[in-house]
Amino acid sequence: MRFSVLASGSSGNAVYVENDEHCFLVDVGLSGKKMEQLFSEIDRDMKKLSGIFITHEHSDHIKGLGVIARKHGVPIFANEKTWLAMDSHIGNVSLDQRFQFDMETIKTFGSIDIQSFAVSHDAADPMFYIFHENGRKLVLITDTGYVSDRMKGHIKGADAFVFESNHDVSMLQMGRYPWSVKRRILSDVGHVSNEDAAVAMSEVIETKNTNIYLSHLSKDNNMKDLARMSVTQTLQSCGIIAGEYVHLHDTDANVPTELVLV
């Protein structure tokens, strides 16, 4: 199983996952043209997609969905409430491309099992995904105000995480956003901070070689170096040495990560 974080952040989100039989896209948060470009950068072809999985209906996760769906005829998977919430934003999508993926369930595609789990975000029914194959585990978890014990139970022991590290609390509190937006981000249905993300990471890391991709960084309230430093320091305070067997990686709003093996 291999994956690439194609884009991550408030301007757009998309993650590509493949094995030798199937290839998948989780969210389509940039324009169709930009998504085609990102696929080209990792030398992959959208025509070969086995399915698109949607986490929730916010525009930075579905911006290019309608265009890509119509152009390539790809099956789209989302839960019922998400379908209802995003329907008016994606234009006409054929009924034979619409599939329901219920919360807390598993769908199997050959040797890959894809598991959905609930997160806490201000959307209709937000959920993220875990990819399982041959004992290996890839977790995608962003857009959540906190990481509950139930979430930790689902994601524990992954070999790789695409893990939200959205903001530095001080930068957010002193920044230009109106208080209503700050309150939303800091709430239980907003986004996790660098420190809170790292505490959650410390409770779910189990394997001896774990790769963590710090994702959905705020362009106004965070920086790559700050996120990495904050997460590293918090992990150390929890008894985990980043770089020893936990490897932190950056993601970017417009540049895909290398296609890597899980």
Side-chain angles (χ1 to χ4, degrees):
M1 184 164 55
R2 298 164 293 275
F3 77 99
S4 170
V5 182
L6 299 179
S8 180
S10 55
S11 59
N13 299 272
V15 179
Y16 175 80
V17 184
E18 70 172 20
N19 70 354
D20 294 336
E21 303 170 88
H22 297 284
C23 50
F24 308 100
L25 184 60
V26 178
D27 290 334
V28 194
L30 295 100
S31 70
K33 183 177 180 181
K34 182 62 178 178
M35 291 301 307
E36 298 274 8
Q37 177 191 326
L38 293 172
F39 264 68
S40 161
E41 290 180 29
I42 62 167
D43 194 26
R44 292 298 184 269
D45 186 352
M46 276 196 166
K47 295 183 182 69
K48 297 182 179 178
L49 280 171
S50 304
I52 296 174
F53 298 86
I54 300 301
T55 61
H56 61 293
E57 74 277 8
H58 289 170
S59 62
D60 58 327
H61 294 260
I62 64 165
K63 183 177 181 180
L65 177 59
V67 170
I68 296 301
R70 286 184 289 277
K71 182 173 181 180
H72 298 294
V74 188
I76 303 164
F77 298 83
N79 65 46
E80 182 180 12
K81 289 182 180 178
T82 297
W83 269 118
L84 290 171
M86 71 180 178
D87 231 6
S88 61
H89 302 285
I90 63 174
N92 184 43
V93 174
S94 172
L95 284 175
D96 62 7
Q97 291 176 251
R98 296 168 173 260
F99 293 87
Q100 189 165 318
F101 196 154
D102 293 331
M103 187 82 72
E104 312 277 342
T105 60
I106 295 174
K107 288 190 179 294
T108 299
F109 298 80
S111 61
I112 287 187
D113 291 330
I114 304 175
Q115 174 186 355
S116 62
F117 66 99
V119 295
S120 179
H121 197 51
D122 55 352
D125 203 13
M127 67 185 193
F128 274 78
Y129 300 97
I130 305 168
F131 290 77
H132 303 263
E133 184 183 36
N134 298 329
R136 307 291 287 176
K137 183 175 179 179
L138 165 65
V139 164
L140 312 182
I141 178 168
T142 68
D143 296 79
T144 189
Y146 70 104
V147 183
S148 68
D149 288 342
R150 185 176 181 83
M151 292 180 219
K152 291 171 191 172
H154 287 307
I155 69 176
K156 199 168 188 175
D159 301 280
F161 294 90
V162 177
F163 212 119
E164 178 167 61
S165 188
N166 178 256
H167 60 274
D168 174 80
V169 174
S170 295
M171 281 185 71
L172 175 62
Q173 289 174 333
M174 295 186 294
R176 63 181 179 85
Y177 287 4
W179 172 241
S180 60
V181 177
K182 293 178 181 179
R183 184 170 57 190
R184 176 245 172 192
I185 293 170
L186 291 166
S187 76
D188 282 352
V189 292
H191 294 276
V192 291
S193 68
N194 296 330
E195 291 78 9
D196 287 347
V199 169
M201 291 174 200
S202 73
E203 297 175 0
V204 298
I205 292 170
E206 286 187 338
T207 67
K208 293 297 184 184
N209 188 26
T210 305
N211 287 286
I212 300 174
Y213 289 75
L214 303 180
S215 301
H216 215 303
L217 273 66
S218 168
K219 64 181 179 181
D220 293 305
N221 303 304
N222 211 349
M223 297 178 287
K224 289 181 182 179
D225 289 344
L226 178 58
R228 184 185 283 264
M229 181 184 70
S230 298
V231 169
T232 298
Q233 289 177 345
T234 304
L235 287 175
Q236 286 176 342
S237 71
C238 297
I240 295 173
I241 308 301
E244 188 173 273
Y245 62 89
V246 175
H247 309 286
L248 301 179
H249 307 272
D250 296 322
T251 59
D252 195 275
N254 293 297
V255 180
T257 64
E258 182 182 355
L259 194 63
V260 294
L261 185 69
V262 180

